[in-house]
Amino acid sequence: MGARSFYVYILANRIGGTLYIGVTNDLMRRVAEHRMKVAEGFAKRYDVARLVYFEVFDQVEPAIQREKRLKKWPRDWKTSLIERENPNWIDLYPQIAGAL
């Protein structure tokens, strides 16, 4: 069995808009679910489906800890984190769809 990856990700509905932070073991599937609005909840209600940031982890525990920490951060810290890696808030989903 191969190594498994875990992802902490941030979705937005637009540049500077509403943010959603999550953790998953299948980033492509999870973002696709958000985009297709298959589940009721925050992401569907606020149309949050633009993948603007993600981090990769080898183990689930550090990924969950990171997600919890990010959720507690002030909004301006989250915005700065996104903009350091993705200053134009482009949707990363199309770029990484074939890479993961």
Side-chain angles (χ1 to χ4, degrees), residues 16-93:
T18 302
L19 301 176
Y20 175 89
I21 300 172
V23 65
T24 184
N25 65 349
D26 188 339
L27 184 61
M28 298 314 306
R29 175 192 51 80
R30 189 67 183 116
V31 174
E33 290 172 352
H34 285 296
R35 293 168 79 92
M36 293 184 293
K37 299 172 180 36
V38 297
E40 296 297 324
F42 182 90
K44 182 176 181 178
R45 184 169 44 252
Y46 293 98
D47 194 27
V48 180
R50 179 192 301 215
L51 178 64
V52 293
Y53 180 84
F54 69 94
E55 297 176 11
V56 183
F57 295 84
D58 294 330
Q59 298 176 2
V60 69
E61 293 86 4
I64 292 170
Q65 291 296 323
R66 178 65 167 166
E67 177 203 25
K68 288 179 180 181
R69 269 186 307 226
L70 288 177
K71 286 183 173 185
K72 292 179 182 178
W73 278 16
R75 180 179 174 79
D76 60 331
W77 292 11
K78 296 172 195 174
T79 299
S80 293
L81 178 67
I82 294 165
E83 291 180 349
R84 271 197 307 269
E85 299 293 323
N86 187 0
N88 297 317
W89 293 58
I90 61 168
D91 188 356
L92 302 172
Y93 182 79

